[in-house]
Amino acid sequence: MVGVIVTLVLLALRSPAGLLLRASRDGEARMRASGHPVTAYLTGAYVAAGGIAGAGGALLVTTQQYVSPADFSFDTAALLLLGVVIGGAGSMLGAVVGTALVFAARDWFSGLLPGHAPLLLGVLFVLTAYLLPRGVAGFDWRHIRMPVRGATRRANQEA
């Protein structure tokens, strides 16, 4: 079910409707001036977001069989927002990767330092804010130079 929802969202974002939503986000006044019904686009996006949240809630009830008010606490919302900030708000993949990093730091890496999960999350956030201002997904991986096998051997032979 999650895969279907993610696929539908990705298809919608890559369609002409997704381009219109992105243009409405980046230049709302320009879109209005060109005659597009920006309010209708944004209303449709909010309705779709509500439907996705409803599907997520239905999946939560299905897996847990019980939903308590504690499942929707400030801590949960803050962790998800932290995941989006760390991963990068510009892409869905970034949000998923960022959320996975947050939950890995909170659940797995805090086993190395029991009771220090908030410290690990804070360090992860500060490092991301300073080193990757657009998040993990905004990092340009093309600028990393990987050593080419045999390049040093050829350089030594030419010298």
Side-chain angles (χ1 to χ4, degrees), residues 29 39 42 49 55 71 78 93 104 108 114 117 119:
T39 306
L42 295 178
D71 292 334
L93 177 66
W108 295 334
L119 175 68

Side-chain angles (χ1 to χ4, degrees), residues 79-106:
L79 283 175
L80 291 175
L81 183 61
L82 184 63
V84 170
V85 168
I86 287 174
S91 74
M92 184 178 292
L93 177 66
V96 170
V97 169
T99 304
L101 283 173
V102 165
F103 283 106
R106 187 194 71 176

Side-chain angles (χ1 to χ4, degrees), residues 15-114:
S15 71
L19 292 175
L20 288 171
L21 284 174
R22 200 170 305 133
S24 296
R25 177 194 67 196
D26 295 340
E28 182 176 348
R30 183 176 290 171
M31 288 291 289
R32 287 187 192 281
S34 65
H36 289 279
V38 175
T39 306
Y41 296 156
L42 295 178
T43 302
Y46 286 125
V47 169
I52 292 169
L59 288 172
L60 181 69
V61 169
T62 302
T63 59
Q64 290 187 353
Q65 300 296 318
Y66 174 73
V67 178
S68 71
D71 292 334
F72 304 102
S73 65
F74 175 76
D75 294 340
T76 304
L79 283 175
L80 291 175
L81 183 61
L82 184 63
V84 170
V85 168
I86 287 174
S91 74
M92 184 178 292
L93 177 66
V96 170
V97 169
T99 304
L101 283 173
V102 165
F103 283 106
R106 187 194 71 176
D107 296 339
W108 295 334
F109 298 138
S110 65
L112 302 173
L113 299 168

